[in-house]
Amino acid sequence: MSLTEIQRLQTLLPTWVETNRLLCANGKVASYIPELAKSPIDALGIHLINAQGNSVSAGNSELTFTMQSISKVFTLILALMDNGESGVFDKVGMEPTGDNFNSMLKLELVQPGIPFNPLINAGAIAISSLIAGESPTEKSRRVLEFFRLLSNNRSLDYDLDVYRSESDTANLNRSMAYFLKDNGVLEGAVEDVLDVYFRHCSICVTCTDLAQMALVLAHNGTNPITGEELIPRRYVQIAKTFMTTCGMYNASGEFAIQVGLPAKSGVSGGILTLVPGRYGIGLVGPSLNRKGNSIAGVALLEQMSQTFDWSLF
Ligand code: DON
């Protein structure tokens, strides 16, 4: 009897993690959020799960880390569920920028001065202001509940040290948010919007949590294990498209060529990716390459995708 892909992964992944882990020495952990500088530079972990609930873990898959920009995929989805497509795309565009994720350059240069897409910081801050709720506390509560539902983990919560560390030092995001307010993009008080944004970036997860969330995207919004429909299919389609075009910052094109899967990374070294109709994958490797993606994580995903011919393209 031939081995299933999951069985082959169970054999191969522990070795692949150890060989790719060596690349961590060539990268750097993020330090512009001071608390993230404490991340373990040599860590590399992965969890993959399929629709039957069969899973594979390897390396430091139990490490906890903050979602950072990975959270932007799911706040986008929640904002779409709250406001519909036109309510969201009146305020945020659909195009990659080619600029850094925290750039505000095009907000002034390109009219009408709305963020280019929801996965750069300006776009995600605009999305935070679109989350329904009477107060910032209520908005943040709804985001956390939604993430708990998708990850099937009731105990998902904030890393308050990372939250405070970002909130205390976010001069660039703060200036960007005030600029957006002046351009008429943000609803409500700027500091309230920023609070919702910093909180969702600081939600603390393991690779298993990310893999569970990715599994829902891989199955067009339904948790295939429980059969529960959690997200309308159209909004999953939109989210996966942004992940493909903008999810890996300015390396999204290279990632599409080398790996060929929708993915989103964060400055904590997390990557969420999926094989449509099949797997949810969560990965962490805090050592980042020059484009801001997990240096060992990207290499590991290239090896997996190329071995099993997962590319969509
Ligand atoms: O706003 C920030 O800079 C971080 N909370 C998130 C940045 C990140 O992960 C990369 N963004 N695309």
Short mmCIF file of all heavy atoms in Angstrom, two decimals, residues 248-271:
data_model
loop_
_atom_site.label_atom_id
_atom_site.label_comp_id
_atom_site.label_asym_id
_atom_site.label_seq_id
_atom_site.Cartn_x
_atom_site.Cartn_y
_atom_site.Cartn_z
N MET A 248 2.91 38.33 1.17
CA MET A 248 4.30 38.13 1.60
C MET A 248 5.10 39.42 1.33
O MET A 248 6.26 39.38 0.92
CB MET A 248 4.91 36.93 0.88
CG MET A 248 4.16 35.62 1.14
SD MET A 248 4.17 35.11 2.87
CE MET A 248 5.81 34.40 3.02
N TYR A 249 4.46 40.56 1.54
CA TYR A 249 5.08 41.88 1.33
C TYR A 249 5.61 41.97 -0.11
O TYR A 249 4.98 41.48 -1.03
CB TYR A 249 6.22 42.14 2.33
CG TYR A 249 5.93 41.75 3.74
CD1 TYR A 249 6.68 40.79 4.40
CD2 TYR A 249 4.89 42.35 4.46
CE1 TYR A 249 6.43 40.44 5.72
CE2 TYR A 249 4.63 42.01 5.77
CZ TYR A 249 5.39 41.05 6.39
OH TYR A 249 5.13 40.70 7.68
N ASN A 250 6.83 42.55 -0.22
CA ASN A 250 7.39 42.73 -1.56
C ASN A 250 8.07 41.47 -2.10
O ASN A 250 8.79 41.54 -3.09
CB ASN A 250 8.36 43.90 -1.57
CG ASN A 250 7.60 45.20 -1.45
OD1 ASN A 250 6.44 45.27 -1.86
ND2 ASN A 250 8.22 46.21 -0.88
N ALA A 251 7.82 40.36 -1.41
CA ALA A 251 8.30 39.07 -1.95
C ALA A 251 7.11 38.23 -2.39
O ALA A 251 7.24 37.03 -2.61
CB ALA A 251 9.11 38.33 -0.90
N SER A 252 5.95 38.85 -2.56
CA SER A 252 4.74 38.08 -2.92
C SER A 252 4.87 37.44 -4.30
O SER A 252 4.41 36.31 -4.51
CB SER A 252 3.49 38.96 -2.85
OG SER A 252 3.32 39.44 -1.53
N GLY A 253 5.49 38.13 -5.24
CA GLY A 253 5.68 37.58 -6.58
C GLY A 253 6.62 36.39 -6.54
O GLY A 253 6.34 35.33 -7.12
N GLU A 254 7.73 36.57 -5.82
CA GLU A 254 8.72 35.48 -5.71
C GLU A 254 8.10 34.26 -5.01
O GLU A 254 8.29 33.12 -5.44
CB GLU A 254 9.91 36.00 -4.91
CG GLU A 254 11.07 35.05 -4.85
CD GLU A 254 12.22 35.63 -4.00
OE1 GLU A 254 12.33 36.87 -3.85
OE2 GLU A 254 12.98 34.81 -3.49
N PHE A 255 7.32 34.53 -3.96
CA PHE A 255 6.67 33.43 -3.24
C PHE A 255 5.67 32.71 -4.15
O PHE A 255 5.57 31.48 -4.12
CB PHE A 255 5.98 33.97 -1.98
CG PHE A 255 5.49 32.91 -1.03
CD1 PHE A 255 6.32 32.39 -0.05
CD2 PHE A 255 4.18 32.43 -1.11
CE1 PHE A 255 5.88 31.40 0.83
CE2 PHE A 255 3.73 31.45 -0.24
CZ PHE A 255 4.57 30.93 0.73
N ALA A 256 4.95 33.46 -4.99
CA ALA A 256 3.99 32.84 -5.91
C ALA A 256 4.71 31.93 -6.90
O ALA A 256 4.21 30.87 -7.27
CB ALA A 256 3.19 33.91 -6.65
N ILE A 257 5.91 32.33 -7.30
CA ILE A 257 6.67 31.51 -8.24
C ILE A 257 7.29 30.29 -7.54
O ILE A 257 7.21 29.17 -8.05
CB ILE A 257 7.74 32.37 -8.95
CG1 ILE A 257 7.02 33.30 -9.94
CG2 ILE A 257 8.80 31.51 -9.63
CD1 ILE A 257 7.88 34.35 -10.57
N GLN A 258 7.87 30.50 -6.36
CA GLN A 258 8.60 29.41 -5.70
C GLN A 258 7.70 28.45 -4.92
O GLN A 258 8.03 27.28 -4.77
CB GLN A 258 9.66 29.98 -4.74
CG GLN A 258 10.67 30.89 -5.41
CD GLN A 258 11.54 30.20 -6.45
OE1 GLN A 258 11.40 29.00 -6.68
NE2 GLN A 258 12.40 30.95 -7.11
N VAL A 259 6.59 28.98 -4.38
CA VAL A 259 5.71 28.14 -3.54
C VAL A 259 4.33 27.99 -4.21
O VAL A 259 3.78 26.90 -4.28
CB VAL A 259 5.57 28.72 -2.11
CG1 VAL A 259 4.66 27.83 -1.26
CG2 VAL A 259 6.95 28.85 -1.44
N GLY A 260 3.77 29.10 -4.68
CA GLY A 260 2.53 29.02 -5.45
C GLY A 260 1.28 28.80 -4.61
O GLY A 260 0.30 28.23 -5.10
N LEU A 261 1.29 29.26 -3.34
CA LEU A 261 0.11 29.10 -2.48
C LEU A 261 -0.25 30.45 -1.86
O LEU A 261 0.64 31.27 -1.61
CB LEU A 261 0.42 28.11 -1.34
CG LEU A 261 0.79 26.69 -1.75
CD1 LEU A 261 1.25 25.90 -0.52
CD2 LEU A 261 -0.39 26.00 -2.43
N PRO A 262 -1.56 30.69 -1.56
CA PRO A 262 -1.90 31.91 -0.82
C PRO A 262 -1.27 31.84 0.57
O PRO A 262 -1.31 30.80 1.22
CB PRO A 262 -3.44 31.84 -0.69
CG PRO A 262 -3.88 30.74 -1.59
CD PRO A 262 -2.72 29.83 -1.81
N ALA A 263 -0.69 32.96 1.02
CA ALA A 263 0.00 32.94 2.32
C ALA A 263 0.00 34.34 2.92
O ALA A 263 -0.13 35.33 2.19
CB ALA A 263 1.44 32.47 2.16
N LYS A 264 0.15 34.42 4.23
CA LYS A 264 0.34 35.72 4.88
C LYS A 264 1.38 35.56 5.97
O LYS A 264 1.31 34.63 6.76
CB LYS A 264 -0.98 36.23 5.51
CG LYS A 264 -0.84 37.60 6.16
CD LYS A 264 -0.70 38.72 5.14
CE LYS A 264 -0.15 40.02 5.75
NZ LYS A 264 1.33 40.10 5.64
N SER A 265 2.32 36.47 6.00
CA SER A 265 3.35 36.41 7.03
C SER A 265 3.21 37.60 7.98
O SER A 265 2.49 38.56 7.69
CB SER A 265 4.74 36.37 6.40
OG SER A 265 5.04 37.61 5.87
N GLY A 266 3.90 37.52 9.10
CA GLY A 266 3.92 38.60 10.09
C GLY A 266 5.32 38.82 10.59
O GLY A 266 6.17 37.92 10.49
N VAL A 267 5.57 40.00 11.19
CA VAL A 267 6.92 40.33 11.64
C VAL A 267 7.40 39.49 12.83
O VAL A 267 8.58 39.51 13.16
CB VAL A 267 7.10 41.82 11.98
CG1 VAL A 267 7.15 42.67 10.75
CG2 VAL A 267 6.06 42.30 12.95
N SER A 268 6.49 38.75 13.45
CA SER A 268 6.92 37.84 14.53
C SER A 268 7.51 36.55 13.94
O SER A 268 7.99 35.71 14.68
CB SER A 268 5.73 37.50 15.42
OG SER A 268 4.69 37.01 14.59
N GLY A 269 7.43 36.39 12.63
CA GLY A 269 7.99 35.20 11.97
C GLY A 269 6.96 34.15 11.65
O GLY A 269 7.28 33.08 11.14
N GLY A 270 5.69 34.44 11.91
CA GLY A 270 4.63 33.49 11.57
C GLY A 270 4.31 33.53 10.09
O GLY A 270 4.48 34.56 9.43
N ILE A 271 3.89 32.40 9.55
CA ILE A 271 3.32 32.34 8.20
C ILE A 271 2.10 31.43 8.26
O ILE A 271 2.17 30.33 8.82
CB ILE A 271 4.31 31.78 7.14
CG1 ILE A 271 5.59 32.62 7.07
CG2 ILE A 271 3.65 31.72 5.76
CD1 ILE A 271 6.63 32.10 6.06
#
